[in-house]
Amino acid sequence: MTYQETVSDGHETVSDAETDGENYFISMTDMMVGMLFIFIILLMSFALLFRHQTDVLVKTTKQQSSKIAVAEAVGRELDETETRISKRLDEIREASQLRLRLLTELRDQLSREGLVVEISSSGDVLRLTEAAVQFPVNNFALLGDAKKNVGKIARVLARVLPSYSVCARGRIPPHCRTPAQASVETVFIEGHTDETGIDDMNWSLSAQRAASTYRELTTIAPELRRVLNRREEEILSISGYSSTRPIDVAGTLAAWTKNRRIDLRFVMDTDATSGLEEIKGLLQKMRVAIQGLKSQPQ
């Protein structure tokens, strides 16, 4: 290597090699600072991107959590509704079984009195056949054996009905039913005519036959008017159907005789209205919850 020296002013001058070394060091430092600066920028960009993605994820997770919470709440409501519906179905089945026991007991006791009556296939009607209660053509009067037989029916109803009805004041189970139990709500005394004659007249005739039967029942057994339902209303009621519900459609004299009849229809009370209103309220709550679930942003 060669060195240049000057002695004119008594000082040394730095060699070209040393100057080049310092310049190289400065260039490398600047480059490293620049790279570090770029790295910091990239790191900050990554951090900002990560934060944004995390915020989105948190937001999405919250939405998903909210939907899961709503779905779980709806599931609980469904379970509760299913339980209540099952309970109502059990109560309805219990009422149907109770009614069948009632009609069977009435039929058996009337049979011992020498009366032939039938239980409808639907299990809710006790049919007083023409052998028990028969009306003359175009007449609503109870005559002869028909009147005697209605008296027998009155006494059997007075014996049996109270055990299937809500307890009146002063009465306690098991000779009556508690308000929480299924019980008889109404006994419709239904009058019917045959298909002959004028239809308008048959409507009033069927209702008059029912009314004649009601009057005879309550005359023979006035205590029947004290048998009440859950709302403390009299159980016995009447209705007329003209010729609209024949049991024999043959159109013969024998068929017409069968159709001129009285039916006793037994309606049971299981306090269904309050139970169904409760279930309806639960379903409405679920509908609102599901609608809210659908309206949430995806």
Side-chain angles (χ1 to χ4, degrees), residues 189-210:
I189 303 167
E190 299 180 340
H192 301 268
T193 70
D194 61 39
E195 63 189 72
T196 62
I198 301 172
D199 188 58
D200 287 345
M201 293 183 62
N202 281 341
W203 281 104
S204 60
L205 180 60
S206 63
Q208 287 171 325
R209 285 174 175 170

Side-chain angles (χ1 to χ4, degrees), residues 43-292:
L43 185 60
M44 289 178 65
S45 298
F46 176 78
L48 290 172
L49 179 61
F50 179 78
R51 181 177 177 180
H52 174 72
Q53 291 177 339
T54 302
D55 290 342
V56 171
L57 181 61
V58 168
K59 183 178 180 181
T60 302
T61 302
K62 287 181 178 178
Q63 291 174 352
Q64 290 173 344
S65 299
S66 176
K67 290 184 178 182
I68 291 171
V70 172
E72 289 176 345
V74 170
R76 287 191 296 270
E77 295 285 0
L78 282 172
D79 291 340
E80 186 176 353
T81 301
E82 183 179 7
T83 300
R84 290 172 187 257
I85 290 174
S86 297
K87 182 181 177 182
R88 298 300 303 138
L89 289 174
D90 289 341
E91 291 172 354
I92 292 170
R93 279 191 287 266
E94 179 190 354
S96 296
Q97 292 168 359
L98 180 70
R99 178 171 55 195
L100 185 58
R101 289 203 303 271
L102 167 59
L103 267 64
T104 302
E105 186 174 351
L106 290 172
R107 182 194 61 189
D108 294 346
Q109 291 205 25
L110 289 171
S111 178
R112 289 195 286 271
E113 295 285 341
L115 298 183
V116 177
V117 298
E118 300 172 351
I119 298 174
S120 67
S121 58
S122 56
D124 59 347
V125 172
L126 192 68
R127 185 155 292 135
L128 310 182
T129 65
E130 72 277 8
V133 178
Q134 187 177 40
F135 291 95
V137 176
N138 199 30
N139 199 319
F140 58 84
L142 289 167
L143 305 173
D145 287 342
K147 186 171 184 177
K148 292 178 183 178
N149 290 342
V150 170
K152 294 177 182 179
I153 294 166
R155 286 184 283 271
V156 170
L157 284 173
R159 270 198 314 269
V160 175
L161 263 184
S163 297
Y164 294 85
S165 305
V166 173
C167 294
R169 292 185 182 90
R171 301 191 68 225
I172 58 174
H175 303 295
C176 54
R177 310 282 291 175
T178 68
Q181 294 176 303
S183 59
V184 178
E185 201 278 337
T186 304
V187 179
F188 284 108
I189 303 167
E190 299 180 340
H192 301 268
T193 70
D194 61 39
E195 63 189 72
T196 62
I198 301 172
D199 188 58
D200 287 345
M201 293 183 62
N202 281 341
W203 281 104
S204 60
L205 180 60
S206 63
Q208 287 171 325
R209 285 174 175 170
S212 293
T213 305
Y214 171 84
R215 282 192 292 267
E216 188 65 20
L217 288 172
T218 54
T219 298
I220 300 299
E223 61 269 33
L224 284 172
R225 297 200 63 177
R226 296 192 293 273
V227 182
L228 308 178
N229 60 24
R230 190 190 306 274
R231 296 183 299 278
E232 298 188 351
E233 301 165 340
E234 292 186 28
I235 279 179
L236 293 185
S237 184
I238 67 171
S239 57
Y241 291 98
S242 183
S243 60
T244 61
R245 298 189 180 187
I247 55 175
D248 192 333
V249 296
T252 62
L253 288 175
W256 295 340
T257 300
K258 289 180 182 179
N259 292 334
R260 295 193 300 270
R261 71 190 192 279
I262 291 291
D263 288 340
L264 300 180
R265 184 179 301 276
F266 293 78
V267 178
M268 305 304 289
D269 185 0
T270 59
D271 196 17
T273 301
S274 63
L276 293 176
E277 286 295 333
E278 201 172 359
I279 292 171
K280 181 181 177 182
L282 287 172
L283 292 175
Q284 287 175 338
K285 285 172 61 179
M286 286 190 292
R287 187 178 295 110
V288 171
I290 292 172
Q291 188 61 37

